Amino acid sequence: MVGPLRPQIVLFGSSIVQLSYSDEGWGAILTNLYARKADIILRGYCGWNSRRALKVLDTIFPKDAAEQPSLVIVYFGGNDSMHPHPSGLGPHVPLEEYIENMKKIIIHLKSLSKKTRIILLSSPPVNEAQIHETFRLYSEACLELCHEMNVKAIDLWSALQQRDDWSNVCFIDGIHLSHEGNKIVVKEILKVLEEADWEPSLHWKSMPNEFAEDSPYDPVGMDEKTTVNISNWYFEKKFQWERDLCKPLNGLQIEESAVTKQQGL
């Protein structure tokens, strides 16, 4: 373990989580936004269903850990909803069992500490007609369970379909998210974090930067007599969607200065 100790944000789920660092995925974007603020911890497992997740829940999230996560973002459901195989093998989990499994996961995560917050992602729509309907059923079940248990949830099923061309641009293979799909996931996560009345806030702009004190080793200012603390700066984004993600909170936004341009920071 390296220090100083930062808040932990754990991404826990199946392939949509494991692949969240590929193709500028939502996990990679969050890691960039939370640099110097929190550690993003990836616990994604391609092919997993809620049944398998339950078997290792205590191993991944031990109750006696010295430090518990501040936030856990959970996604299971797509593999659970796959049609059952005649052999009984495969990832399918009946809907009622899926609901019960997710309830047990939520209860376990809530028991870790009073500071641990939870966000569940529902199953997204898929560009595969034969499994589209079952994904919807599991998505609705996830959202209803979160409502009953007072847990934050993101309706990916609806969020992705706000784009008219979602079936063509939001997936790389009909199921897994493309760069465009990942951007929508991040926007929805940040929306929840900004609107939540959690104390302390877990929105990246509300969290302090590590080692943010003034230093004589900071870049020299334009007056050539003082230094400029750039620990709280974030640099101008290259893409419009990134600018949308980085809208200022409470009117606070620091633009890239002449000092950074001059010194190439």
Side-chain angles (χ1 to χ4, degrees), residues 118-182:
I118 308 166
I119 298 175
L120 263 64
L121 307 179
S122 78
S123 295
V126 291
N127 190 9
E128 293 287 340
Q130 65 271 27
I131 59 175
H132 184 84
E133 183 61 21
T134 55
F135 263 51
R136 183 184 65 81
L137 293 175
Y138 282 68
S139 175
E140 291 177 351
C142 175
L143 296 173
E144 183 176 346
L145 175 63
C146 289
H147 178 72
E148 293 174 359
M149 299 187 72
N150 193 29
V151 171
K152 300 290 185 184
I154 294 174
D155 182 3
L156 289 186
W157 182 270
S158 299
L160 269 68
Q161 291 187 86
Q162 289 178 8
R163 287 194 59 146
D164 293 336
D165 56 353
W166 68 269
S167 61
N168 295 320
V169 303
C170 288
F171 302 95
I172 56 175
D173 55 7
I175 296 177
H176 297 104
L177 297 170
S178 66
H179 182 44
E180 291 300 315
N182 277 298

Short mmCIF file of all heavy atoms in Angstrom, two decimals, residues 118-182:
data_model
loop_
_atom_site.label_atom_id
_atom_site.label_comp_id
_atom_site.label_asym_id
_atom_site.label_seq_id
_atom_site.Cartn_x
_atom_site.Cartn_y
_atom_site.Cartn_z
N ILE A 118 -23.06 3.95 -2.39
CA ILE A 118 -23.25 2.94 -3.44
C ILE A 118 -24.02 3.55 -4.60
O ILE A 118 -24.99 4.29 -4.40
CB ILE A 118 -24.05 1.73 -2.90
CG1 ILE A 118 -23.40 1.18 -1.62
CG2 ILE A 118 -24.13 0.63 -3.96
CD1 ILE A 118 -24.29 0.23 -0.86
N ILE A 119 -23.58 3.24 -5.82
CA ILE A 119 -24.32 3.55 -7.03
C ILE A 119 -24.41 2.28 -7.86
O ILE A 119 -23.39 1.64 -8.12
CB ILE A 119 -23.65 4.65 -7.87
CG1 ILE A 119 -23.56 5.96 -7.09
CG2 ILE A 119 -24.41 4.88 -9.18
CD1 ILE A 119 -22.80 7.06 -7.83
N LEU A 120 -25.60 1.90 -8.26
CA LEU A 120 -25.77 0.75 -9.15
C LEU A 120 -26.05 1.23 -10.56
O LEU A 120 -26.80 2.20 -10.76
CB LEU A 120 -26.92 -0.14 -8.67
CG LEU A 120 -26.51 -1.37 -7.83
CD1 LEU A 120 -25.88 -0.93 -6.52
CD2 LEU A 120 -27.69 -2.28 -7.60
N LEU A 121 -25.46 0.55 -11.52
CA LEU A 121 -25.74 0.79 -12.93
C LEU A 121 -26.70 -0.30 -13.40
O LEU A 121 -26.44 -1.49 -13.20
CB LEU A 121 -24.46 0.73 -13.76
CG LEU A 121 -23.29 1.60 -13.32
CD1 LEU A 121 -22.10 1.38 -14.25
CD2 LEU A 121 -23.68 3.06 -13.30
N SER A 122 -27.78 0.11 -14.03
CA SER A 122 -28.69 -0.89 -14.58
C SER A 122 -28.16 -1.39 -15.92
O SER A 122 -27.25 -0.79 -16.50
CB SER A 122 -30.08 -0.29 -14.76
OG SER A 122 -30.14 0.51 -15.93
N SER A 123 -28.69 -2.48 -16.39
CA SER A 123 -28.28 -3.01 -17.68
C SER A 123 -28.60 -2.00 -18.79
O SER A 123 -29.67 -1.40 -18.79
CB SER A 123 -28.99 -4.33 -17.98
OG SER A 123 -28.61 -5.32 -17.05
N PRO A 124 -27.67 -1.81 -19.73
CA PRO A 124 -27.93 -0.89 -20.84
C PRO A 124 -28.79 -1.56 -21.90
O PRO A 124 -28.98 -2.78 -21.89
CB PRO A 124 -26.51 -0.62 -21.38
CG PRO A 124 -25.79 -1.91 -21.12
CD PRO A 124 -26.33 -2.42 -19.81
N PRO A 125 -29.31 -0.78 -22.84
CA PRO A 125 -29.94 -1.41 -24.00
C PRO A 125 -28.84 -2.06 -24.83
O PRO A 125 -27.66 -1.72 -24.68
CB PRO A 125 -30.56 -0.22 -24.74
CG PRO A 125 -29.67 0.92 -24.39
CD PRO A 125 -29.24 0.68 -22.96
N VAL A 126 -29.18 -2.99 -25.65
CA VAL A 126 -28.17 -3.66 -26.46
C VAL A 126 -28.63 -3.72 -27.91
O VAL A 126 -29.83 -3.78 -28.20
CB VAL A 126 -27.88 -5.09 -25.96
CG1 VAL A 126 -27.17 -5.06 -24.62
CG2 VAL A 126 -29.16 -5.91 -25.84
N ASN A 127 -27.67 -3.71 -28.80
CA ASN A 127 -27.98 -3.78 -30.22
C ASN A 127 -28.00 -5.23 -30.67
O ASN A 127 -27.32 -5.62 -31.60
CB ASN A 127 -26.93 -2.99 -31.01
CG ASN A 127 -27.32 -2.83 -32.47
OD1 ASN A 127 -28.43 -3.16 -32.86
ND2 ASN A 127 -26.41 -2.32 -33.28
N GLU A 128 -28.73 -6.03 -29.93
CA GLU A 128 -28.89 -7.44 -30.23
C GLU A 128 -30.34 -7.80 -29.94
O GLU A 128 -30.74 -7.96 -28.79
CB GLU A 128 -27.95 -8.30 -29.37
CG GLU A 128 -26.46 -8.12 -29.67
CD GLU A 128 -26.05 -8.77 -30.98
OE1 GLU A 128 -26.79 -9.66 -31.46
OE2 GLU A 128 -25.00 -8.37 -31.52
N ALA A 129 -31.14 -7.90 -31.00
CA ALA A 129 -32.59 -8.02 -30.84
C ALA A 129 -32.99 -9.20 -29.97
O ALA A 129 -33.93 -9.12 -29.17
CB ALA A 129 -33.25 -8.13 -32.22
N GLN A 130 -32.27 -10.33 -30.07
CA GLN A 130 -32.69 -11.53 -29.37
C GLN A 130 -32.54 -11.45 -27.85
O GLN A 130 -33.17 -12.19 -27.12
CB GLN A 130 -31.94 -12.76 -29.89
CG GLN A 130 -30.43 -12.77 -29.62
CD GLN A 130 -29.64 -12.09 -30.71
OE1 GLN A 130 -30.16 -11.23 -31.39
NE2 GLN A 130 -28.39 -12.50 -30.89
N ILE A 131 -31.67 -10.56 -27.36
CA ILE A 131 -31.50 -10.45 -25.91
C ILE A 131 -31.91 -9.07 -25.40
O ILE A 131 -31.84 -8.82 -24.20
CB ILE A 131 -30.04 -10.74 -25.50
CG1 ILE A 131 -29.07 -9.77 -26.18
CG2 ILE A 131 -29.67 -12.17 -25.79
CD1 ILE A 131 -27.64 -9.94 -25.71
N HIS A 132 -32.36 -8.21 -26.29
CA HIS A 132 -32.72 -6.84 -25.91
C HIS A 132 -33.80 -6.83 -24.84
O HIS A 132 -33.71 -6.11 -23.85
CB HIS A 132 -33.19 -6.09 -27.15
CG HIS A 132 -33.49 -4.64 -26.91
ND1 HIS A 132 -32.52 -3.66 -26.93
CD2 HIS A 132 -34.66 -4.00 -26.64
CE1 HIS A 132 -33.07 -2.49 -26.70
NE2 HIS A 132 -34.37 -2.66 -26.52
N GLU A 133 -34.83 -7.64 -24.99
CA GLU A 133 -35.96 -7.62 -24.09
C GLU A 133 -35.58 -8.12 -22.70
O GLU A 133 -36.03 -7.57 -21.69
CB GLU A 133 -37.11 -8.46 -24.65
CG GLU A 133 -38.37 -8.46 -23.82
CD GLU A 133 -38.98 -7.07 -23.67
OE1 GLU A 133 -38.68 -6.19 -24.49
OE2 GLU A 133 -39.76 -6.87 -22.72
N THR A 134 -34.77 -9.18 -22.61
CA THR A 134 -34.38 -9.68 -21.29
C THR A 134 -33.49 -8.69 -20.56
O THR A 134 -33.58 -8.56 -19.34
CB THR A 134 -33.66 -11.04 -21.41
OG1 THR A 134 -32.55 -10.91 -22.30
CG2 THR A 134 -34.59 -12.11 -21.92
N PHE A 135 -32.63 -7.99 -21.28
CA PHE A 135 -31.83 -6.94 -20.65
C PHE A 135 -32.75 -5.90 -20.02
O PHE A 135 -32.48 -5.41 -18.91
CB PHE A 135 -30.93 -6.26 -21.69
CG PHE A 135 -29.52 -6.78 -21.71
CD1 PHE A 135 -29.27 -8.14 -21.79
CD2 PHE A 135 -28.44 -5.93 -21.66
CE1 PHE A 135 -27.97 -8.63 -21.82
CE2 PHE A 135 -27.14 -6.39 -21.68
CZ PHE A 135 -26.90 -7.75 -21.76
N ARG A 136 -33.83 -5.55 -20.70
CA ARG A 136 -34.77 -4.54 -20.18
C ARG A 136 -35.38 -5.01 -18.87
O ARG A 136 -35.50 -4.22 -17.91
CB ARG A 136 -35.87 -4.26 -21.20
CG ARG A 136 -36.84 -3.17 -20.76
CD ARG A 136 -37.96 -3.00 -21.77
NE ARG A 136 -38.80 -4.18 -21.85
CZ ARG A 136 -39.78 -4.47 -20.99
NH1 ARG A 136 -40.04 -3.66 -19.97
NH2 ARG A 136 -40.51 -5.56 -21.13
N LEU A 137 -35.78 -6.26 -18.80
CA LEU A 137 -36.41 -6.79 -17.59
C LEU A 137 -35.46 -6.72 -16.40
O LEU A 137 -35.86 -6.34 -15.29
CB LEU A 137 -36.86 -8.24 -17.82
CG LEU A 137 -37.99 -8.44 -18.83
CD1 LEU A 137 -38.25 -9.92 -19.03
CD2 LEU A 137 -39.26 -7.74 -18.37
N TYR A 138 -34.20 -7.08 -16.62
CA TYR A 138 -33.23 -7.07 -15.52
C TYR A 138 -32.87 -5.63 -15.16
O TYR A 138 -32.60 -5.33 -14.00
CB TYR A 138 -31.99 -7.87 -15.90
CG TYR A 138 -32.20 -9.37 -15.78
CD1 TYR A 138 -33.08 -10.05 -16.63
CD2 TYR A 138 -31.55 -10.12 -14.81
CE1 TYR A 138 -33.29 -11.42 -16.53
CE2 TYR A 138 -31.76 -11.48 -14.68
CZ TYR A 138 -32.63 -12.13 -15.55
OH TYR A 138 -32.84 -13.50 -15.43
N SER A 139 -32.86 -4.75 -16.14
CA SER A 139 -32.61 -3.34 -15.86
C SER A 139 -33.71 -2.77 -14.97
O SER A 139 -33.45 -2.08 -13.99
CB SER A 139 -32.53 -2.55 -17.17
OG SER A 139 -32.41 -1.17 -16.94
N GLU A 140 -34.95 -3.03 -15.32
CA GLU A 140 -36.08 -2.53 -14.53
C GLU A 140 -36.06 -3.10 -13.12
O GLU A 140 -36.35 -2.40 -12.14
CB GLU A 140 -37.40 -2.88 -15.23
CG GLU A 140 -37.62 -2.11 -16.52
CD GLU A 140 -38.89 -2.53 -17.23
OE1 GLU A 140 -39.49 -3.54 -16.80
OE2 GLU A 140 -39.28 -1.86 -18.21
N ALA A 141 -35.70 -4.38 -12.99
CA ALA A 141 -35.64 -5.01 -11.67
C ALA A 141 -34.57 -4.37 -10.80
O ALA A 141 -34.77 -4.15 -9.60
CB ALA A 141 -35.38 -6.51 -11.82
N CYS A 142 -33.43 -4.05 -11.39
CA CYS A 142 -32.34 -3.40 -10.67
C CYS A 142 -32.78 -2.04 -10.16
O CYS A 142 -32.56 -1.69 -8.99
CB CYS A 142 -31.13 -3.28 -11.58
SG CYS A 142 -29.74 -2.36 -10.87
N LEU A 143 -33.42 -1.25 -11.01
CA LEU A 143 -33.86 0.09 -10.63
C LEU A 143 -34.92 0.04 -9.54
O LEU A 143 -34.91 0.84 -8.59
CB LEU A 143 -34.38 0.83 -11.86
CG LEU A 143 -33.36 1.11 -12.96
CD1 LEU A 143 -34.06 1.69 -14.19
CD2 LEU A 143 -32.27 2.05 -12.47
N GLU A 144 -35.84 -0.90 -9.64
CA GLU A 144 -36.89 -1.03 -8.63
C GLU A 144 -36.29 -1.42 -7.29
O GLU A 144 -36.69 -0.89 -6.23
CB GLU A 144 -37.92 -2.07 -9.08
CG GLU A 144 -39.08 -2.22 -8.12
CD GLU A 144 -40.15 -3.17 -8.62
OE1 GLU A 144 -40.11 -3.53 -9.82
OE2 GLU A 144 -41.01 -3.57 -7.82
N LEU A 145 -35.33 -2.34 -7.29
CA LEU A 145 -34.68 -2.76 -6.05
C LEU A 145 -33.95 -1.58 -5.40
O LEU A 145 -34.04 -1.38 -4.18
CB LEU A 145 -33.68 -3.88 -6.33
CG LEU A 145 -32.83 -4.35 -5.15
CD1 LEU A 145 -33.71 -4.94 -4.06
CD2 LEU A 145 -31.78 -5.35 -5.61
N CYS A 146 -33.25 -0.79 -6.20
CA CYS A 146 -32.53 0.37 -5.66
C CYS A 146 -33.50 1.38 -5.04
O CYS A 146 -33.20 1.98 -4.00
CB CYS A 146 -31.70 1.03 -6.75
SG CYS A 146 -30.26 0.05 -7.24
N HIS A 147 -34.64 1.55 -5.67
CA HIS A 147 -35.65 2.45 -5.12
C HIS A 147 -36.13 1.95 -3.76
O HIS A 147 -36.26 2.72 -2.80
CB HIS A 147 -36.82 2.58 -6.09
CG HIS A 147 -37.94 3.45 -5.59
ND1 HIS A 147 -37.84 4.81 -5.50
CD2 HIS A 147 -39.18 3.12 -5.12
CE1 HIS A 147 -38.97 5.31 -5.02
NE2 HIS A 147 -39.79 4.30 -4.78
N GLU A 148 -36.38 0.65 -3.66
CA GLU A 148 -36.86 0.06 -2.41
C GLU A 148 -35.83 0.16 -1.30
O GLU A 148 -36.18 0.34 -0.13
CB GLU A 148 -37.23 -1.41 -2.64
CG GLU A 148 -38.42 -1.63 -3.55
CD GLU A 148 -38.65 -3.09 -3.86
OE1 GLU A 148 -37.86 -3.93 -3.38
OE2 GLU A 148 -39.62 -3.40 -4.57
N MET A 149 -34.53 0.05 -1.67
CA MET A 149 -33.47 0.02 -0.66
C MET A 149 -32.78 1.37 -0.50
O MET A 149 -31.76 1.47 0.17
CB MET A 149 -32.44 -1.06 -1.03
CG MET A 149 -33.02 -2.46 -1.07
SD MET A 149 -31.77 -3.74 -1.30
CE MET A 149 -30.97 -3.71 0.32
N ASN A 150 -33.34 2.40 -1.12
CA ASN A 150 -32.82 3.77 -1.01
C ASN A 150 -31.35 3.84 -1.42
O ASN A 150 -30.51 4.39 -0.71
CB ASN A 150 -32.99 4.29 0.42
CG ASN A 150 -32.76 5.78 0.53
OD1 ASN A 150 -32.97 6.54 -0.42
ND2 ASN A 150 -32.29 6.23 1.69
N VAL A 151 -31.06 3.28 -2.58
CA VAL A 151 -29.70 3.28 -3.13
C VAL A 151 -29.72 4.04 -4.45
O VAL A 151 -30.65 3.91 -5.24
CB VAL A 151 -29.20 1.83 -3.35
CG1 VAL A 151 -27.89 1.81 -4.13
CG2 VAL A 151 -29.02 1.12 -2.02
N LYS A 152 -28.69 4.83 -4.68
CA LYS A 152 -28.58 5.57 -5.94
C LYS A 152 -28.45 4.59 -7.10
O LYS A 152 -27.74 3.57 -7.01
CB LYS A 152 -27.38 6.49 -5.93
CG LYS A 152 -27.38 7.54 -4.83
CD LYS A 152 -28.44 8.60 -5.05
CE LYS A 152 -28.33 9.69 -3.99
NZ LYS A 152 -29.41 10.70 -4.12
N ALA A 153 -29.11 4.90 -8.20
CA ALA A 153 -29.05 4.04 -9.38
C ALA A 153 -29.01 4.90 -10.63
O ALA A 153 -29.53 6.02 -10.65
CB ALA A 153 -30.25 3.10 -9.43
N ILE A 154 -28.38 4.37 -11.65
CA ILE A 154 -28.31 5.04 -12.95
C ILE A 154 -29.02 4.16 -13.97
O ILE A 154 -28.66 2.98 -14.16
CB ILE A 154 -26.86 5.30 -13.36
CG1 ILE A 154 -26.23 6.32 -12.40
CG2 ILE A 154 -26.77 5.79 -14.81
CD1 ILE A 154 -24.75 6.54 -12.62
N ASP A 155 -30.00 4.71 -14.61
CA ASP A 155 -30.80 4.00 -15.60
C ASP A 155 -30.09 4.07 -16.95
O ASP A 155 -30.39 4.92 -17.78
CB ASP A 155 -32.19 4.62 -15.67
CG ASP A 155 -33.10 3.91 -16.65
OD1 ASP A 155 -32.67 2.89 -17.23
OD2 ASP A 155 -34.24 4.38 -16.83
N LEU A 156 -29.13 3.16 -17.14
CA LEU A 156 -28.40 3.17 -18.41
C LEU A 156 -29.30 2.81 -19.58
O LEU A 156 -29.05 3.24 -20.71
CB LEU A 156 -27.22 2.19 -18.35
CG LEU A 156 -26.05 2.57 -17.45
CD1 LEU A 156 -24.91 1.58 -17.62
CD2 LEU A 156 -25.56 3.99 -17.76
N TRP A 157 -30.33 2.02 -19.32
CA TRP A 157 -31.25 1.64 -20.38
C TRP A 157 -31.84 2.88 -21.05
O TRP A 157 -31.87 2.99 -22.27
CB TRP A 157 -32.37 0.77 -19.79
CG TRP A 157 -33.35 0.29 -20.82
CD1 TRP A 157 -34.49 0.92 -21.21
CD2 TRP A 157 -33.24 -0.90 -21.59
NE1 TRP A 157 -35.11 0.19 -22.19
CE2 TRP A 157 -34.38 -0.94 -22.43
CE3 TRP A 157 -32.33 -1.94 -21.66
CZ2 TRP A 157 -34.61 -1.98 -23.31
CZ3 TRP A 157 -32.56 -2.98 -22.54
CH2 TRP A 157 -33.68 -2.99 -23.35
N SER A 158 -32.26 3.82 -20.23
CA SER A 158 -32.86 5.05 -20.77
C SER A 158 -31.81 6.05 -21.21
O SER A 158 -31.98 6.74 -22.23
CB SER A 158 -33.78 5.69 -19.72
OG SER A 158 -34.82 4.81 -19.35
N ALA A 159 -30.72 6.16 -20.44
CA ALA A 159 -29.71 7.19 -20.72
C ALA A 159 -29.10 7.01 -22.10
O ALA A 159 -28.93 7.99 -22.85
CB ALA A 159 -28.62 7.15 -19.65
N LEU A 160 -28.75 5.79 -22.46
CA LEU A 160 -28.12 5.57 -23.76
C LEU A 160 -29.11 5.80 -24.90
O LEU A 160 -28.73 6.27 -25.97
CB LEU A 160 -27.53 4.16 -23.85
CG LEU A 160 -26.06 4.04 -23.42
CD1 LEU A 160 -25.91 4.29 -21.92
CD2 LEU A 160 -25.47 2.68 -23.79
N GLN A 161 -30.38 5.50 -24.67
CA GLN A 161 -31.37 5.63 -25.74
C GLN A 161 -31.82 7.07 -25.95
O GLN A 161 -32.64 7.33 -26.83
CB GLN A 161 -32.56 4.73 -25.44
CG GLN A 161 -32.21 3.25 -25.55
CD GLN A 161 -33.44 2.36 -25.43
OE1 GLN A 161 -34.14 2.09 -26.40
NE2 GLN A 161 -33.70 1.91 -24.21
N GLN A 162 -31.27 8.01 -25.18
CA GLN A 162 -31.55 9.42 -25.46
C GLN A 162 -30.92 9.84 -26.79
O GLN A 162 -31.34 10.84 -27.38
CB GLN A 162 -31.03 10.28 -24.32
CG GLN A 162 -31.83 10.14 -23.04
CD GLN A 162 -31.27 10.96 -21.90
OE1 GLN A 162 -30.35 11.76 -22.09
NE2 GLN A 162 -31.83 10.79 -20.72
N ARG A 163 -29.92 9.10 -27.22
CA ARG A 163 -29.35 9.34 -28.55
C ARG A 163 -30.14 8.55 -29.58
O ARG A 163 -30.35 7.34 -29.44
CB ARG A 163 -27.88 8.90 -28.59
CG ARG A 163 -26.92 9.78 -27.86
CD ARG A 163 -25.50 9.46 -28.23
NE ARG A 163 -25.24 9.61 -29.66
CZ ARG A 163 -24.08 10.02 -30.17
NH1 ARG A 163 -23.08 10.34 -29.34
NH2 ARG A 163 -23.91 10.13 -31.46
N ASP A 164 -30.58 9.21 -30.62
CA ASP A 164 -31.36 8.53 -31.66
C ASP A 164 -30.55 7.43 -32.34
O ASP A 164 -31.10 6.43 -32.79
CB ASP A 164 -31.85 9.53 -32.71
CG ASP A 164 -32.87 10.51 -32.14
OD1 ASP A 164 -33.52 10.17 -31.12
OD2 ASP A 164 -32.99 11.61 -32.69
N ASP A 165 -29.23 7.63 -32.40
CA ASP A 165 -28.37 6.66 -33.09
C ASP A 165 -27.67 5.72 -32.13
O ASP A 165 -26.63 5.16 -32.44
CB ASP A 165 -27.33 7.40 -33.94
CG ASP A 165 -26.48 8.37 -33.11
OD1 ASP A 165 -26.79 8.56 -31.92
OD2 ASP A 165 -25.51 8.92 -33.67
N TRP A 166 -28.25 5.52 -30.93
CA TRP A 166 -27.58 4.75 -29.88
C TRP A 166 -27.17 3.36 -30.34
O TRP A 166 -26.09 2.87 -29.99
CB TRP A 166 -28.48 4.65 -28.64
CG TRP A 166 -29.71 3.80 -28.84
CD1 TRP A 166 -30.93 4.22 -29.26
CD2 TRP A 166 -29.82 2.39 -28.62
NE1 TRP A 166 -31.81 3.17 -29.32
CE2 TRP A 166 -31.16 2.03 -28.93
CE3 TRP A 166 -28.94 1.40 -28.20
CZ2 TRP A 166 -31.62 0.72 -28.82
CZ3 TRP A 166 -29.39 0.09 -28.09
CH2 TRP A 166 -30.72 -0.25 -28.40
N SER A 167 -28.02 2.70 -31.11
CA SER A 167 -27.73 1.32 -31.49
C SER A 167 -26.53 1.20 -32.43
O SER A 167 -25.92 0.14 -32.54
CB SER A 167 -28.95 0.68 -32.14
OG SER A 167 -29.31 1.38 -33.33
N ASN A 168 -26.19 2.31 -33.07
CA ASN A 168 -25.06 2.29 -34.02
C ASN A 168 -23.76 2.82 -33.43
O ASN A 168 -22.68 2.41 -33.85
CB ASN A 168 -25.41 3.11 -35.27
CG ASN A 168 -26.55 2.52 -36.05
OD1 ASN A 168 -26.64 1.31 -36.21
ND2 ASN A 168 -27.44 3.38 -36.54
N VAL A 169 -23.85 3.73 -32.44
CA VAL A 169 -22.63 4.40 -31.98
C VAL A 169 -22.25 4.10 -30.53
O VAL A 169 -21.13 4.41 -30.13
CB VAL A 169 -22.76 5.93 -32.14
CG1 VAL A 169 -23.05 6.30 -33.59
CG2 VAL A 169 -23.83 6.50 -31.22
N CYS A 170 -23.13 3.51 -29.74
CA CYS A 170 -22.84 3.33 -28.32
C CYS A 170 -22.18 2.00 -27.98
O CYS A 170 -21.84 1.77 -26.81
CB CYS A 170 -24.12 3.49 -27.50
SG CYS A 170 -24.71 5.21 -27.41
N PHE A 171 -22.00 1.13 -28.97
CA PHE A 171 -21.44 -0.19 -28.69
C PHE A 171 -20.38 -0.56 -29.71
O PHE A 171 -20.41 -0.11 -30.85
CB PHE A 171 -22.55 -1.25 -28.71
CG PHE A 171 -23.65 -0.97 -27.72
CD1 PHE A 171 -24.80 -0.30 -28.12
CD2 PHE A 171 -23.53 -1.34 -26.40
CE1 PHE A 171 -25.81 -0.03 -27.22
CE2 PHE A 171 -24.53 -1.06 -25.49
CZ PHE A 171 -25.68 -0.40 -25.90
N ILE A 172 -19.44 -1.40 -29.27
CA ILE A 172 -18.40 -1.88 -30.17
C ILE A 172 -18.78 -3.21 -30.79
O ILE A 172 -18.25 -3.59 -31.85
CB ILE A 172 -17.05 -2.02 -29.45
CG1 ILE A 172 -17.16 -2.94 -28.24
CG2 ILE A 172 -16.53 -0.65 -29.03
CD1 ILE A 172 -15.84 -3.23 -27.55
N ASP A 173 -19.69 -3.93 -30.15
CA ASP A 173 -20.04 -5.26 -30.64
C ASP A 173 -21.52 -5.58 -30.43
O ASP A 173 -21.92 -6.73 -30.45
CB ASP A 173 -19.18 -6.33 -29.93
CG ASP A 173 -19.29 -6.25 -28.41
OD1 ASP A 173 -20.12 -5.46 -27.92
OD2 ASP A 173 -18.55 -6.95 -27.71
N GLY A 174 -22.32 -4.56 -30.21
CA GLY A 174 -23.73 -4.77 -29.95
C GLY A 174 -24.07 -4.83 -28.48
O GLY A 174 -25.23 -4.68 -28.10
N ILE A 175 -23.06 -5.08 -27.61
CA ILE A 175 -23.29 -5.22 -26.18
C ILE A 175 -22.36 -4.34 -25.35
O ILE A 175 -22.79 -3.62 -24.46
CB ILE A 175 -23.13 -6.70 -25.74
CG1 ILE A 175 -24.19 -7.57 -26.41
CG2 ILE A 175 -23.21 -6.82 -24.22
CD1 ILE A 175 -24.06 -9.04 -26.10
N HIS A 176 -21.06 -4.38 -25.66
CA HIS A 176 -20.08 -3.64 -24.87
C HIS A 176 -19.94 -2.21 -25.38
O HIS A 176 -20.05 -1.94 -26.57
CB HIS A 176 -18.73 -4.38 -24.88
CG HIS A 176 -18.81 -5.74 -24.26
ND1 HIS A 176 -18.83 -6.89 -25.02
CD2 HIS A 176 -18.89 -6.11 -22.96
CE1 HIS A 176 -18.92 -7.93 -24.21
NE2 HIS A 176 -18.97 -7.50 -22.96
N LEU A 177 -19.64 -1.31 -24.45
CA LEU A 177 -19.71 0.12 -24.74
C LEU A 177 -18.56 0.61 -25.61
O LEU A 177 -17.41 0.21 -25.44
CB LEU A 177 -19.70 0.90 -23.43
CG LEU A 177 -20.90 0.66 -22.51
CD1 LEU A 177 -20.65 1.29 -21.15
CD2 LEU A 177 -22.18 1.19 -23.13
N SER A 178 -18.89 1.52 -26.52
CA SER A 178 -17.90 2.24 -27.31
C SER A 178 -17.49 3.49 -26.56
O SER A 178 -17.98 3.77 -25.45
CB SER A 178 -18.51 2.63 -28.66
OG SER A 178 -19.55 3.59 -28.45
N HIS A 179 -16.62 4.27 -27.18
CA HIS A 179 -16.21 5.54 -26.58
C HIS A 179 -17.43 6.43 -26.34
O HIS A 179 -17.56 7.08 -25.29
CB HIS A 179 -15.20 6.24 -27.49
CG HIS A 179 -14.69 7.53 -26.94
ND1 HIS A 179 -14.31 7.69 -25.62
CD2 HIS A 179 -14.50 8.75 -27.52
CE1 HIS A 179 -13.90 8.93 -25.41
NE2 HIS A 179 -14.01 9.60 -26.54
N GLU A 180 -18.35 6.50 -27.29
CA GLU A 180 -19.55 7.32 -27.15
C GLU A 180 -20.43 6.81 -26.00
O GLU A 180 -20.97 7.60 -25.22
CB GLU A 180 -20.35 7.33 -28.45
CG GLU A 180 -19.67 8.07 -29.59
CD GLU A 180 -19.42 9.53 -29.26
OE1 GLU A 180 -20.35 10.19 -28.72
OE2 GLU A 180 -18.31 10.03 -29.51
N GLY A 181 -20.58 5.50 -25.89
CA GLY A 181 -21.36 4.94 -24.79
C GLY A 181 -20.73 5.22 -23.44
O GLY A 181 -21.42 5.53 -22.47
N ASN A 182 -19.41 5.12 -23.38
CA ASN A 182 -18.69 5.38 -22.14
C ASN A 182 -18.87 6.81 -21.67
O ASN A 182 -18.97 7.08 -20.47
CB ASN A 182 -17.20 5.07 -22.32
CG ASN A 182 -16.89 3.60 -22.16
OD1 ASN A 182 -17.10 3.02 -21.10
ND2 ASN A 182 -16.38 2.98 -23.21
#
